[in-house]
Each structure stands twice: as structure tokens, then as C-alpha cells.
Amino acid sequence: MKSKYILILLIFLGVVSCKNSKSTAEKTGYQGQGPNPIVSTKTKPVQKQWKGIWSFQDSTVFFSNQFDGARLNGVSHDSLNHYTLWITPENSPINPSPWYGFKVWSKTAQEIKINFSYEGSRSRYYPKISYDGLNFKTLDSTRFKLINPGEGEFGIKAAPERIEITIAIDNNPTWVTAQELYTSSRVKQWIDSLSQKSFITNYEIGKSREGRSMNLMEINESNSKKALLIISRQHPPEVTGFLAMKSFMETLAGNSKKAIEFRKQFAIFNVPLMNPDGVDNGHWRHNFGGIDLNRDWQEFNQPETRAVRDFLKSKNEEGYQYVFGADFHSTWDDIYYPLDTVVTGQKGQLVFDWIDNIEKRLPKKKANVSASKKLHPTMVSRNHFYAVYEMPAIVFELGDNTPRVFLKEKGKVAAEELMRLLMD
Ligand SMILES: [Zn+2]
């Protein structure tokens, strides 16, 4: 107590300045979200998006949501070259992640202005543009206008209320999406191409609510029964988390000496797309049961979480022991959410050592760590993994706007440092 008063006195005298102290400087950046409130995960109704083509100007200008991953709920023609779009969620209440995706084209080449409006939400995602539906780039900033900008640096309040974009259109469609499009078929193509390697297989571990395959990729040429579990995309718009996970998996499956040695000792189970219905239906957050899947790891009311729960159990009964788990997500900026060592003890220290090693190798962009001291109820995947299997696990979050080159590098470095630590 005494030292505290001395410190206050020193601050008062100007001897110690809090503003410039190191501990304050380290606390910049996104601090993370608070604890999750307990919610029921019983199935709720979801509004299925109307699919079709809107045509304007005597059928010369067209908007379409007829593709997987699209979300466009209404279009109005306001004036000569000006349109307003409505983007609405699958149900509510819902996390503020207004995903959008549409195609637009015109019989005659022209420039149009498009205003986006979101029911009860704000404009979180910066538009991505594509001319083939596969290769996307961010919209040129000179063609982007904020309407009613937000306040602060992070969180939905920092996002503008609406946006307006200007794009040149012609007879070939232009795709406009909230993030790059990685639908269930594109993710399947990726795991199929990786599965060309002799030690990689992929197979279905269950069906989603709408009947899509829950695919698992298994990397396995190991002599032991130690295994890793890597999942991503419980939340459909979280493409940056998926991209880091993709690089992470490609590194574990790669040809480096370390990866070859690692695979002799560890098997890797990967569910790259936890919510295929949400992704293909262009959902903001939920599965087709209207539920945030990352709140369902206690009640298991949804088939997607049940598929992974049952898979883990069956492999465990075959003798597999889980030594590490990661669930990749996206949020306002890069951040790590491990379980605190007050819960996990020495076993969970691995996760903190790993984070330190990643951060040392990537000093250009620092990320905060927000450790959770609460294990129960196990609504989120990480807590289920630890509570049932004592699997040291993390929620690995990447920023919505984190540069794509950096995402790839971070996924690779994260895999390399994990292999090093687990083999030590
Ligand atoms: Zn998420």
C-alpha cells in the first residue's frame, strides 16, 4: 500500500508520467470483447433470401444475387445513375457483421453510384471488387464515400452508418462483396487440391442443417496418436480468419524439413468451413438454424457443432490425444483469445509461449492477448476442447482489414512456431 501512495505522489510531482509509461503504451490496439452473455441455442426461424435479378432503366441495368455467397435484399433506382441497396440479416438479434454480395452489369458502359443501407446496423466491411468472382481487390479509395462516419477506432460504432461507391459497369458483370468469396464449393476445391498429397484425405463428418457436407481434412502419416484440431469459419463473413488458417494448414502440409518431421509425430484434423449454410446463403453470422454456432458448444443444438463433437469423441475412443486446438475468426483487429493459465495451468502455457514466439517474428503488427479465466459454461469451441480433452486451445482472430499478404505470413509463422514448440 505504501508504495502505491509514493507512486501517486511521484505522478503528482511530475516525476513519473503515466502517459509515457511503458505499460500504457503496450495497451494500445484492439483490447477485445468482454465475456459472452449466456444465450439459448435452440433453433430459430431464418428468413431465406429472395434470389433473382433486379432490372432498371428499360432493362439495361441489372443487379443479381443469384450466386452462392450473395446477399442483396432489395434495390431501388433513386435518380439517373443512382441506386440504393438494402442489406438485411438472416434473423435478429444479430452481431453487427452486415455481409453483402451482388453482381451488377449494364447493356451500355456507364458509371453508377450505389448507396448501401443496413437494417439496424452500420457499414463494417470495405467493398471488394471482382470481374470473375474469384479474384478480388479492394475498391479504389477515391471511389468510396462514408456517410455519417462513426466514432473511435474499433467496434461497430467506429464504422460509418452507410457507404456510397462509384463503379464503372458494362456488359460483363462486376462482383461487389464484403470480403473475398470463399463459398463451400471453393473451400472444397482447396481441400481436394491439397488432398492430392498421399498423406492427406478429406471426408464428410456430418451434414449441415440444409444438408451440405461438413468436410474434414486429415493430414496423417504419424506413428503416434497425438493430434491437433484446427477449425474456422463458424461465422460466415470471417474470411480473413479463414485465409490465415489456409496458410497455417498449407505450412503444416508443406515440404519443409520441419513439416516432414512434424507429420511423423502428429496428426492434424481440420474443419475449414464450420458453417457452409451460412456462407453459401450470405449470412451475417448464424447457421441455417438461426444460431451463432460459437455459442452452441455447451448445448449442441445444431448439427454443425454436433458433427465436430462426435468426431472428436470417436477419434478419442480410437486412442487419439489432442495436444492443441485453434479456432480461426475475424474481428476489428488481430487479437489472441487463449484460456488463462489459472484455468489450464502449466499445460496451457504452451499457448502463451507460442503467441510470444509469433509476435517476436512479426514485430511490424502487434496483437493483444485477452485471456479468459472462465471455462464454464463451455459455449465457445475453445472451452469445450479444453473442458473435455484438456486440449490447450485458442481463438485466433485476424482483423477484417489486416493486409492479405500479412495474413498469409502470420498463418505460416504461427504453424512454424507451433511445430517447433510441440517437437521440443
Ligand atoms: Zn467469429
Side-chain angles (χ1 to χ4, degrees), residues 68-85:
D68 280 351
R71 176 145 294 255
L72 177 60
N73 306 93
V75 187
S76 79
H77 182 205
D78 307 325
S79 58
L80 191 58
N81 299 322
H82 199 283
Y83 297 85
T84 294
L85 309 183

mmCIF file of all heavy atoms in Angstrom, residues 68-85:
data_model
loop_
_atom_site.group_PDB
_atom_site.id
_atom_site.type_symbol
_atom_site.label_atom_id
_atom_site.label_comp_id
_atom_site.label_asym_id
_atom_site.label_seq_id
_atom_site.Cartn_x
_atom_site.Cartn_y
_atom_site.Cartn_z
ATOM 1 N N ASP A 68 -23.838 -18.342 -55.003
ATOM 2 C CA ASP A 68 -23.549 -18.696 -53.612
ATOM 3 C C ASP A 68 -22.718 -17.605 -52.958
ATOM 4 O O ASP A 68 -21.760 -17.109 -53.553
ATOM 5 C CB ASP A 68 -22.783 -20.024 -53.549
ATOM 6 C CG ASP A 68 -23.713 -21.217 -53.705
ATOM 7 O OD1 ASP A 68 -24.957 -21.023 -53.689
ATOM 8 O OD2 ASP A 68 -23.194 -22.345 -53.852
ATOM 9 N N GLY A 69 -23.084 -17.269 -51.747
ATOM 10 C CA GLY A 69 -22.359 -16.230 -51.006
ATOM 11 C C GLY A 69 -22.947 -14.849 -51.209
ATOM 12 O O GLY A 69 -22.514 -13.887 -50.586
ATOM 13 N N ALA A 70 -23.945 -14.731 -52.102
ATOM 14 C CA ALA A 70 -24.548 -13.415 -52.363
ATOM 15 C C ALA A 70 -25.422 -12.979 -51.197
ATOM 16 O O ALA A 70 -25.963 -13.817 -50.463
ATOM 17 C CB ALA A 70 -25.383 -13.467 -53.631
ATOM 18 N N ARG A 71 -25.545 -11.680 -51.014
ATOM 19 C CA ARG A 71 -26.583 -11.115 -50.149
ATOM 20 C C ARG A 71 -26.969 -9.761 -50.674
ATOM 21 O O ARG A 71 -26.174 -8.823 -50.713
ATOM 22 C CB ARG A 71 -26.158 -11.006 -48.682
ATOM 23 C CG ARG A 71 -27.255 -10.317 -47.822
ATOM 24 C CD ARG A 71 -27.363 -10.861 -46.425
ATOM 25 N NE ARG A 71 -27.831 -12.233 -46.410
ATOM 26 C CZ ARG A 71 -29.069 -12.632 -46.060
ATOM 27 N NH1 ARG A 71 -29.975 -11.758 -45.689
ATOM 28 N NH2 ARG A 71 -29.381 -13.902 -46.071
ATOM 29 N N LEU A 72 -28.205 -9.686 -51.138
ATOM 30 C CA LEU A 72 -28.792 -8.441 -51.617
ATOM 31 C C LEU A 72 -30.287 -8.613 -51.423
ATOM 32 O O LEU A 72 -30.869 -9.555 -51.945
ATOM 33 C CB LEU A 72 -28.449 -8.220 -53.095
ATOM 34 C CG LEU A 72 -29.073 -6.984 -53.740
ATOM 35 C CD1 LEU A 72 -28.639 -5.705 -53.035
ATOM 36 C CD2 LEU A 72 -28.690 -6.917 -55.233
ATOM 37 N N ASN A 73 -30.892 -7.728 -50.619
ATOM 38 C CA ASN A 73 -32.288 -7.935 -50.247
ATOM 39 C C ASN A 73 -33.257 -6.966 -50.913
ATOM 40 O O ASN A 73 -34.467 -7.156 -50.839
ATOM 41 C CB ASN A 73 -32.424 -7.880 -48.722
ATOM 42 C CG ASN A 73 -31.471 -8.840 -48.040
ATOM 43 O OD1 ASN A 73 -30.359 -8.486 -47.672
ATOM 44 N ND2 ASN A 73 -31.876 -10.095 -47.933
ATOM 45 N N GLY A 74 -32.722 -5.931 -51.546
ATOM 46 C CA GLY A 74 -33.608 -5.002 -52.254
ATOM 47 C C GLY A 74 -32.795 -3.942 -52.959
ATOM 48 O O GLY A 74 -31.657 -3.653 -52.556
ATOM 49 N N VAL A 75 -33.352 -3.412 -54.062
ATOM 50 C CA VAL A 75 -32.661 -2.360 -54.827
ATOM 51 C C VAL A 75 -33.693 -1.318 -55.219
ATOM 52 O O VAL A 75 -34.802 -1.669 -55.630
ATOM 53 C CB VAL A 75 -32.042 -2.916 -56.139
ATOM 54 C CG1 VAL A 75 -31.185 -1.847 -56.814
ATOM 55 C CG2 VAL A 75 -31.228 -4.175 -55.884
ATOM 56 N N SER A 76 -33.338 -0.046 -55.092
ATOM 57 C CA SER A 76 -34.205 0.985 -55.667
ATOM 58 C C SER A 76 -33.396 1.887 -56.571
ATOM 59 O O SER A 76 -32.199 2.112 -56.363
ATOM 60 C CB SER A 76 -34.899 1.792 -54.565
ATOM 61 O OG SER A 76 -34.017 2.751 -54.042
ATOM 62 N N HIS A 77 -34.061 2.382 -57.608
ATOM 63 C CA HIS A 77 -33.436 3.313 -58.557
ATOM 64 C C HIS A 77 -33.842 4.715 -58.119
ATOM 65 O O HIS A 77 -35.006 5.087 -58.216
ATOM 66 C CB HIS A 77 -33.939 2.990 -59.965
ATOM 67 C CG HIS A 77 -33.318 3.853 -61.008
ATOM 68 N ND1 HIS A 77 -33.927 4.117 -62.206
ATOM 69 C CD2 HIS A 77 -32.130 4.512 -61.027
ATOM 70 C CE1 HIS A 77 -33.143 4.903 -62.931
ATOM 71 N NE2 HIS A 77 -32.054 5.148 -62.236
ATOM 72 N N ASP A 78 -32.887 5.492 -57.615
ATOM 73 C CA ASP A 78 -33.229 6.776 -57.000
ATOM 74 C C ASP A 78 -33.279 7.918 -58.018
ATOM 75 O O ASP A 78 -34.153 8.759 -57.983
ATOM 76 C CB ASP A 78 -32.205 7.124 -55.914
ATOM 77 C CG ASP A 78 -32.047 5.999 -54.907
ATOM 78 O OD1 ASP A 78 -33.074 5.339 -54.620
ATOM 79 O OD2 ASP A 78 -30.929 5.761 -54.423
ATOM 80 N N SER A 79 -32.291 7.973 -58.860
ATOM 81 C CA SER A 79 -32.228 9.014 -59.887
ATOM 82 C C SER A 79 -31.330 8.486 -60.989
ATOM 83 O O SER A 79 -30.825 7.361 -60.875
ATOM 84 C CB SER A 79 -31.669 10.313 -59.301
ATOM 85 O OG SER A 79 -30.386 10.073 -58.758
ATOM 86 N N LEU A 80 -31.075 9.277 -61.990
ATOM 87 C CA LEU A 80 -30.419 8.804 -63.214
ATOM 88 C C LEU A 80 -29.419 7.642 -63.045
ATOM 89 O O LEU A 80 -29.656 6.560 -63.547
ATOM 90 C CB LEU A 80 -29.737 9.993 -63.918
ATOM 91 C CG LEU A 80 -29.238 9.687 -65.332
ATOM 92 C CD1 LEU A 80 -30.377 9.222 -66.243
ATOM 93 C CD2 LEU A 80 -28.540 10.910 -65.915
ATOM 94 N N ASN A 81 -28.309 7.895 -62.324
ATOM 95 C CA ASN A 81 -27.298 6.829 -62.187
ATOM 96 C C ASN A 81 -27.137 6.384 -60.740
ATOM 97 O O ASN A 81 -26.070 5.921 -60.357
ATOM 98 C CB ASN A 81 -25.936 7.313 -62.702
ATOM 99 C CG ASN A 81 -26.005 7.669 -64.157
ATOM 100 O OD1 ASN A 81 -26.694 6.992 -64.931
ATOM 101 N ND2 ASN A 81 -25.336 8.732 -64.544
ATOM 102 N N HIS A 82 -28.150 6.592 -59.967
ATOM 103 C CA HIS A 82 -28.009 6.379 -58.534
ATOM 104 C C HIS A 82 -28.973 5.303 -58.024
ATOM 105 O O HIS A 82 -30.168 5.374 -58.282
ATOM 106 C CB HIS A 82 -28.253 7.693 -57.793
ATOM 107 C CG HIS A 82 -27.685 7.675 -56.415
ATOM 108 N ND1 HIS A 82 -28.293 7.013 -55.385
ATOM 109 C CD2 HIS A 82 -26.548 8.218 -55.913
ATOM 110 C CE1 HIS A 82 -27.549 7.153 -54.302
ATOM 111 N NE2 HIS A 82 -26.484 7.876 -54.587
ATOM 112 N N TYR A 83 -28.388 4.345 -57.259
ATOM 113 C CA TYR A 83 -29.185 3.223 -56.745
ATOM 114 C C TYR A 83 -28.961 3.081 -55.234
ATOM 115 O O TYR A 83 -27.882 3.402 -54.731
ATOM 116 C CB TYR A 83 -28.783 1.913 -57.426
ATOM 117 C CG TYR A 83 -29.050 1.933 -58.912
ATOM 118 C CD1 TYR A 83 -28.107 2.471 -59.789
ATOM 119 C CD2 TYR A 83 -30.247 1.448 -59.427
ATOM 120 C CE1 TYR A 83 -28.351 2.532 -61.150
ATOM 121 C CE2 TYR A 83 -30.501 1.493 -60.798
ATOM 122 C CZ TYR A 83 -29.553 2.032 -61.652
ATOM 123 O OH TYR A 83 -29.808 2.086 -62.999
ATOM 124 N N THR A 84 -29.986 2.590 -54.543
ATOM 125 C CA THR A 84 -29.836 2.251 -53.122
ATOM 126 C C THR A 84 -30.087 0.749 -52.949
ATOM 127 O O THR A 84 -31.024 0.197 -53.537
ATOM 128 C CB THR A 84 -30.826 3.047 -52.250
ATOM 129 O OG1 THR A 84 -30.478 4.425 -52.308
ATOM 130 C CG2 THR A 84 -30.772 2.597 -50.792
ATOM 131 N N LEU A 85 -29.222 0.124 -52.152
ATOM 132 C CA LEU A 85 -29.361 -1.317 -51.881
ATOM 133 C C LEU A 85 -29.750 -1.529 -50.431
ATOM 134 O O LEU A 85 -29.288 -0.809 -49.551
ATOM 135 C CB LEU A 85 -28.022 -2.039 -52.097
ATOM 136 C CG LEU A 85 -27.294 -1.811 -53.411
ATOM 137 C CD1 LEU A 85 -26.041 -2.682 -53.431
ATOM 138 C CD2 LEU A 85 -28.197 -2.134 -54.581
#
